[in-house]
Amino acid sequence: MAPRSPPLTAFGAGKVILLGEHSVVYGHPALAGPLSQGVTARGGPAKQCQLSLPSNLSRPQRAQLTAAFARAAEATGSPPVKVTLDADLPLAVGLGSSAALSVACARLLLKAAGKEPTPKDAARVAWAMEQEFHGTPSGVDHTTSAQEQLVLYRRKPGTTVGKGQRVDSPKPLHVVVALAGERSPTKATVGALRERQARWPQRYTRLFTEIGRVASEGARAVEAGDLEALGDAMNVNQGLLAALGLSSPPLEEMVYRLRGLGALGAKLTGAGGDGGAVIGLFLEPGPAVTKLTRLGVRCFSSQLAGPRAL
């Protein structure tokens, strides 16, 4: 008997936006990093390319995921493989779960087709899935996941996909991610912001521009190893997001709780709204995770960049 080939596996990282959400849609830079948590895709032999759908999805979610996977299959030549998914990332809270899933599927399908899943090719295939999930995403989520690096991402006006410039950190960059209740649907939050921006364009353009400047300043602070400056940029960014009407009492409470636990900076990450994920920048994240967990807060820590302990 011929030896059985080992099962294929591929990982897609979740992401956090340290600085620049929402303004990135309007052509300004955003600073984003990959989480250690994400989505793992596993592949086994099959007669045709197919996806085993998770059992906990609603009917619309199943239809959307099926359509997205079909795009990825077409982009990779529909290799004969059955794909299953396993996530250790909280879903629909602003941590890039759809992008992580897209990158995991892209990498696995590329492997099954006998191709090297380079960051560029993984991003190309994942982008097809992300368009099915979000229509016109900024591209920051799947770019960060595919590159698995801290990046300063920008999509110039008039272009479809932007570019992520790697940002190197001479110091370990640790964040604590804490969940603060159920998040509003992203489409509703973005749609309401778009309406306000259309009604008062000059005011909102100034806010988006300032968020972009803060993101660029934060990237320079990372490269200089000035984590206090990065934390301050995060705090300023949170104030600007609140000015845009994107924060809420649960998010603000968690922001101040993280700061009270020693965070150099803390802010919401992702779309914002009624709830979702909040991030805090810590030199030592362990004590904060322990205390929050004891208080019943769902949280975890992740290193986004910098030297890692051996």
Side-chain angles (χ1 to χ4, degrees):
M1 292 180 62
R4 295 182 62 182
S5 58
L8 296 173
T9 63
F11 178 74
K15 72 92 188 62
V16 291
I17 295 181
L18 282 170
L19 300 162
E21 48 268 277
H22 290 284
S23 67
V24 69
V25 177
Y26 297 92
H28 299 288
L31 183 64
L35 295 168
S36 53
Q37 291 78 3
V39 176
T40 299
R42 295 180 174 85
K47 293 182 179 179
Q48 61 184 18
C49 191
Q50 57 184 293
L51 174 65
S52 178
L53 292 168
S55 60
N56 58 342
L57 299 181
S58 65
R59 184 174 293 180
Q61 288 173 327
R62 293 169 72 89
Q64 188 179 55
L65 180 52
T66 298
F69 184 80
R71 286 196 183 200
E74 181 180 2
T76 53
S78 297
V81 62
K82 181 176 182 179
V83 180
T84 58
L85 301 170
D86 181 33
D88 65 352
L89 182 74
L91 306 179
V93 294
L95 301 178
S97 55
S98 70
L101 182 154
S102 298
V103 169
C105 285
R107 285 178 172 155
L108 189 125
L109 290 173
L110 286 165
K111 285 183 179 181
K115 301 173 183 176
E116 177 66 25
T118 64
K120 183 177 180 180
D121 283 340
R124 173 181 57 82
V125 177
W127 176 243
M129 294 186 70
E130 279 286 88
Q131 288 177 301
E132 187 68 41
F133 287 128
H134 298 296
T136 56
S138 70
V140 63
D141 288 15
H142 84 285
T143 299
T144 305
S145 181
Q147 292 192 16
E148 287 193 274
Q149 296 172 338
L150 186 69
V151 297
L152 187 66
Y153 177 89
R154 186 173 187 182
R155 187 184 72 186
K156 294 182 179 179
T159 60
T160 304
V161 184
K163 293 183 179 180
Q165 178 183 345
R166 177 173 173 171
V167 178
D168 290 315
S169 176
K171 294 182 179 179
L173 193 60
H174 295 284
V175 294
V176 170
V177 181
L179 304 188
E182 294 296 321
R183 193 180 68 156
S184 312
T186 299
K187 286 186 178 180
T189 303
V190 172
L193 174 60
R194 197 179 297 276
E195 289 179 7
R196 294 192 295 275
Q197 191 269 344
R199 188 174 181 185
W200 300 291
Q202 291 184 337
R203 180 181 306 150
Y204 280 75
T205 296
R206 289 198 303 269
L207 290 170
F208 289 135
T209 299
E210 187 57 33
I211 289 175
R213 287 174 179 161
V214 169
S216 295
E217 291 168 358
R220 291 194 292 271
V222 170
E223 292 177 329
D226 191 346
L227 298 186
E228 288 189 1
L230 174 61
D232 186 72
M234 291 171 65
N235 289 335
V236 170
N237 196 167
Q238 173 63 22
L240 292 166
L241 291 170
L244 289 170
L246 298 167
S247 195
S248 63
L251 292 173
E252 292 289 338
E253 181 183 359
M254 189 60 70
V255 163
Y256 281 96
R257 180 179 285 188
L258 290 176
R259 291 175 187 169
L261 290 171
L264 299 176
K267 59 180 283 292
L268 68 87
T269 187
D274 293 334
V278 173
I279 55 172
L281 178 67
F282 285 85
L283 297 178
E284 295 291 341
V289 170
T290 299
K291 188 160 187 177
L292 289 169
T293 302
R294 286 175 179 169
L295 293 171
V297 176
R298 190 178 176 191
C299 64
F300 60 89
S301 66
S302 188
Q303 182 175 342
L304 306 183
R308 297 178 183 272
L310 297 178

